Amino acid sequence: MPGFAPPVADERTALTAYLAHQRRALRVTAHGLTEEQARTAASAGELSIGGLVKHAARCETFWTDLILHQQRGPQRKADESDADEFRLAPDESLAEALVAYAEAAERTDAVIAGIPDLGQAVPVPRGLPWFPAEVEEWSVRWVLLHLIEETARHGGHADVIRESIDGATHYPLLAAAEAWPDPWFQPWEPEPPTIGGQHAPID
């Protein structure tokens, strides 16, 4: 059934398959959105679907860099806000955010495929209050589990935001985005345009 993660035979396949499954769930919340809708904060907070996709891409890049013992530029300081990471800037688009997310995911998958031991050490960044000072290292296995957790959490945020925008929910969106054959419900379709509050006729 296309709504489930595929069968798995070992730990590595299970971790990467479930991460891919959660990425897919987050990405599909953006299906059919306009740029304005992608920037819509539908709750009392500032989270938007475009911003969540942007953050997910940056999150994967950060953790993959950490696995590789790399660091790209200065890191955010403890007293700096991370609000800009959760919203699309005026010169950014939803399409660009989705491409960046796909590229980050592809890089993560390639890096994981090249690591023979998921127990390989991953250093804990120092001097930042949100990282545990008492822990010296994680493992690649831990990082994958954390990415699954992080992606699923933000996918849940995006589900709620999308339903607040136009009522669309997960499985109808998947069925529409992936053109499922013979789905057991109506795939999502965009609302027809309105004129003066009335739906415009469709030729």
Side-chain angles (χ1 to χ4, degrees):
M1 185 178 292
F4 288 82
V8 298
D10 55 70
E11 179 191 27
R12 183 186 300 264
T13 304
L15 292 171
T16 54
Y18 269 86
L19 177 55
H21 188 60
Q22 294 304 323
R23 290 179 187 136
R24 174 177 172 238
L26 174 55
R27 288 180 64 89
V28 81
T29 63
H31 178 68
L33 290 181
T34 65
E35 285 295 325
E36 180 181 2
Q37 289 172 324
R39 288 172 160 78
T40 298
S43 69
E46 296 184 2
L47 292 181
S48 66
I49 289 176
L52 286 167
V53 171
K54 174 182 173 179
H55 170 71
R58 294 190 176 192
C59 183
E60 287 220 20
T61 298
F62 170 83
W63 286 102
T64 304
D65 284 349
L66 210 59
I67 290 172
L68 295 173
H69 297 218
Q70 296 175 353
Q71 183 171 315
R72 300 187 184 193
Q75 297 300 305
R76 178 166 61 92
K77 296 181 176 62
D79 59 351
E80 280 186 282
S81 171
D82 64 349
D84 286 344
E85 185 168 314
F86 286 90
R87 56 177 170 240
L88 294 177
D91 63 341
E92 296 173 329
S93 70
L94 175 61
E96 290 168 342
L98 287 166
V99 168
Y101 190 26
E103 291 174 347
E106 184 177 1
R107 177 171 177 258
T108 299
D109 292 344
V111 168
I112 297 303
I115 293 175
D117 180 8
L118 296 181
Q120 177 180 305
V122 178
V124 177
R126 315 316 298 174
L128 294 170
W130 48 85
F131 292 125
E134 71 279 8
V135 178
E136 292 293 328
E137 61 187 34
W138 293 299
S139 65
V140 174
R141 177 182 296 105
W142 185 97
V143 170
L144 283 170
L145 287 165
H146 177 69
L147 283 173
I148 293 168
E149 172 194 41
E150 180 94 359
T151 308
R153 182 167 179 257
H154 291 317
H157 292 146
D159 279 339
V160 172
I161 294 168
R162 180 59 192 260
E163 191 165 358
S164 299
I165 290 172
D166 65 357
T169 56
H170 179 69
Y171 287 114
L173 282 169
L174 272 180
E178 299 177 355
W180 287 2
D182 303 319
W184 60 95
F185 42 66
Q186 179 62 40
W188 174 84
E189 294 181 358
E191 286 288 326
T194 59
I195 300 176
Q198 300 295 318
H199 289 306
I202 299 176
D203 294 333

